[in-house]
Amino acid sequence: MKVLIVGGGAREHAVSKALKKNPAVKLYSVMKNRNPGIMRLCEEVSHHDELDTTRTAEFAAKMGVDFAFVGPEAPLAAGCADVLENAGIPCIGPKAVLARIESDKEFMRGLLDKYNIPCNLRHKTFDSVSEASSYLDSVGCDVAVKPVGLTGGKGVKVMGEQLSNVDDAKAYVREVIEGGIGGGKVIIEEKAVGEEFTLMAFVDGENIALMPAVQDHKRAFVGDTGHNTGGMGSYSDSNHLLPFLSESVVEEAGRVIKETVRALKKETGEKYKGILYGQFMLGRDLKVIEFNCRFGDPEAMNVLSILESDLAGVCQDIVRGRLGDVKFSGQATVCKYIVPEGYGVKSTAGQRLTIDEEKIKSLGAVLYYAAVNEEAGEIFTTSSRSVGVIGIADTISEAERICEEAVESVRGEHIYHRRDIGTSGLIEKKLDGLKGLR
Ligand code: GLY
């Protein structure tokens, strides 16, 4: 079975590794960087811009792949699945019209409204600075300001966090609209308060199979402080819930995902085939923060590291529209990203990393390469996240201990990671924060 993986980050390394557990899989890759983890698993790699969907389809056809797995959102929003499917190559990852669930936040909120899907937030979209500013004067509650289009997960600003007051919110609205950020339109949403969690599902157009819940940490520094990043690390629990999540809340979130898949089909006439990522906020009520049209990054590393089902088989079931149960082991995971100093603001790229992969393996941890480049047998950082390290154990605290020990085997100048992710101190703080709300 020949499979193409598009994307060169740790998420795609985790997908590649899971696919390669099936000995029948021969892997091919499209990525712009030189990710050594993915390259080692592949028969052939085309290093080109992942947004060049025509070139990707030509490479896929030349290699004779049976299906493609597209990791990142940007090629999906640019129509990668459409181009591949037009060339007769099935794709794990939705067509562009369906990828709007992530690439167009106005579409996402409108879909939830139109199909009466619960857990939506009050929202309004603007492409005029003055109209948005008048709205901010009149809205009467704290808000989040988001560019409507894609920004690599770093465009959201929330009052009481990155925005101190209405004037800050107005200034950010101006920056987005006049700077053309994320398409130059803003969506202003009521601020949701509580604890965020990620619930992802495999989707075959009709059926869904939920994955374990995960909590990501977007802030750059210890104690959930600093600027937002693509995600600094994440954890999951052995019961596939989280310490602050009950089964009924996860069931409610699962129903929202299922109803969204149905609504997408009604709205577009197309079947969503791939991964649907729901980000939820649990506060007084459950709220949808966003949907993504792909695996979360880092969350993919948590769930794929404990996947028991054959991922290649799951993908074939998605293509054929007969998705059944997907099994995960009952273990906890803690993932920490090692990133260059200044990541998300002004990164120090081009640093050499030395990694003792054997030691990491011997600790029972797993390493996934992210946005690094291998040149003449050496690994160099880029401006984005460098490597993800996962500890896996029966409890979150043991997984965290293993992860920290394994992180010691990644050495280099001007890199850092968040030591607090998955620690009981941080988790207790989250539980305490929720006590006042529920
Ligand atoms: N972890 C956040 C994301 O993948 O968008």
Side-chain angles (χ1 to χ4, degrees):
M1 188 191 330
K2 294 184 173 184
V3 185
L4 175 71
I5 173 89
V6 177
R11 166 182 50 205
E12 289 77 28
H13 187 188
V15 171
S16 301
K17 208 162 173 173
L19 286 167
K20 280 296 284 183
K21 282 193 183 152
N22 180 329
V25 168
K26 282 192 183 338
L27 206 59
Y28 299 83
S29 145
V30 164
M31 65 172 110
K32 52 182 182 298
N33 58 319
R34 299 184 60 81
N35 180 315
I38 301 174
M39 285 165 68
R40 262 182 239 156
L41 297 171
C42 285
E43 309 295 313
E44 220 165 302
V45 181
S46 176
H47 293 286
H48 67 253
D49 185 346
E50 293 142 26
L51 293 179
D52 189 345
T53 56
T54 306
R55 199 159 158 200
T56 296
E58 281 166 5
F59 177 67
K62 191 168 157 208
M63 296 300 122
V65 305
D66 295 291
F67 66 86
F69 196 118
V70 181
E73 63 279 16
L76 289 167
C80 195
D82 306 63
V83 177
L84 284 163
E85 299 222 348
N86 286 342
I89 299 159
C91 186
I92 306 301
K95 291 183 174 175
V97 71
L98 297 160
R100 286 177 73 201
I101 195 75
E102 174 167 3
S103 64
D104 181 347
K105 292 184 177 66
E106 186 178 17
F107 169 80
M108 184 276 272
R109 291 282 171 214
L111 189 84
L112 267 57
D113 278 344
K114 181 168 172 186
Y115 292 90
N116 292 317
I117 298 172
C119 307
N120 206 1
L121 289 167
R122 268 199 299 144
H123 60 95
K124 221 164 160 47
T125 304
F126 300 91
D127 55 12
S128 148
V129 176
S130 63
E131 284 173 24
S133 299
S134 309
Y135 178 71
L136 284 168
D137 283 329
S138 66
V139 69
C141 65
D142 277 358
V143 296
V145 180
K146 306 178 178 180
V148 163
L150 296 179
T151 55
K154 295 157 204 141
V156 177
K157 294 202 178 180
V158 181
M159 274 166 76
E161 295 176 25
Q162 300 85 1
L163 308 170
S164 319
N165 50 39
V166 172
D167 285 340
D168 275 3
K170 286 181 185 172
Y172 186 52
V173 160
R174 182 176 293 281
E175 190 183 326
V176 171
I177 293 178
E178 292 183 352
I181 297 170
K185 257 185 176 182
V186 287
I187 185 159
I188 300 177
E189 299 174 353
E190 71 177 286
K191 177 181 172 180
V193 181
E195 274 305 315
E196 280 182 11
F197 68 93
T198 301
L199 189 64
M200 300 181 284
F202 293 100
V203 182
D204 73 359
E206 305 279 348
N207 307 298
I208 71 167
L210 293 177
M211 305 183 207
V214 185
Q215 188 172 44
D216 183 19
H217 297 72
K218 288 205 169 254
R219 299 295 199 90
F221 306 124
V222 163
D224 287 330
T225 56
H227 55 276
N228 272 339
T229 68
M232 292 295 295
S234 44
Y235 68 93
S236 65
D237 206 350
S238 55
N239 60 2
H240 301 168
L241 305 171
L242 291 166
F244 57 87
L245 272 189
S246 66
E247 211 164 320
S248 64
V249 170
V250 170
E251 278 168 11
E252 191 182 352
R255 280 195 297 277
V256 168
I257 291 178
K258 179 106 190 165
E259 286 183 35
T260 303
V261 170
R262 273 204 211 114
L264 279 166
K265 186 165 161 231
K266 279 197 192 132
E267 185 67 11
T268 66
E270 295 280 355
K271 286 188 175 180
Y272 190 105
K273 286 178 182 278
I275 313 299
L276 185 58
Y277 168 122
Q279 190 186 19
F280 295 89
M281 179 78 82
L282 179 64
R284 222 175 296 283
D285 306 301
L286 184 67
K287 296 289 181 192
V288 172
I289 299 298
E290 63 184 25
F291 277 109
N292 293 330
C293 62
R294 36 107 192 147
F295 266 124
D297 188 356
E299 294 97 322
M301 292 184 269
N302 299 89
V303 297
L304 291 173
S305 297
I306 55 164
L307 178 68
E308 285 185 340
S309 300
D310 164 31
L311 181 61
V314 171
C315 292
Q316 284 178 314
D317 288 347
I318 289 175
V319 169
R320 292 173 189 147
R322 57 168 203 212
L323 180 65
D325 278 352
V326 178
K327 292 197 167 23
F328 296 85
S329 71
Q331 286 172 295
T333 64
V334 172
C335 173
K336 304 202 190 201
Y337 252 127
I338 295 165
V339 305
E341 277 173 15
Y343 162 59
V345 183
K346 196 171 187 294
S347 292
T348 48
Q351 301 294 319
R352 189 161 62 88
L353 297 181
T354 52
I355 298 172
D356 187 343
E357 289 190 35
E358 284 310 312
K359 179 77 197 292
I360 292 170
K361 217 166 158 185
S362 74
L363 295 168
V366 184
L367 174 117
Y368 296 107
Y369 286 97
V372 289
N373 285 313
E374 182 168 38
E375 284 157 29
E378 298 200 301
I379 314 288
F380 293 92
T381 62
T382 65
S383 60
S384 196
R385 295 173 289 189
S386 307
V387 295
V389 177
I390 309 273
I392 304 163
D394 289 340
T395 61
I396 295 172
S397 57
E398 180 60 6
E400 196 277 332
R401 190 195 62 72
I402 293 171
C403 181
E404 272 300 323
E405 208 177 332
V407 162
E408 294 298 313
S409 296
V410 180
R411 293 185 183 274
E413 304 269 305
H414 304 297
I415 53 173
Y416 80 99
H417 72 283
R418 269 187 61 176
R419 291 186 182 276
D420 60 339
I421 292 169
T423 58
S424 40
L426 189 59
I427 292 172
E428 286 300 324
K429 235 168 94 184
K430 289 169 186 292
L431 286 165
D432 281 350
L434 266 179
K435 270 187 202 143
L437 287 171
R438 288 183 70 83

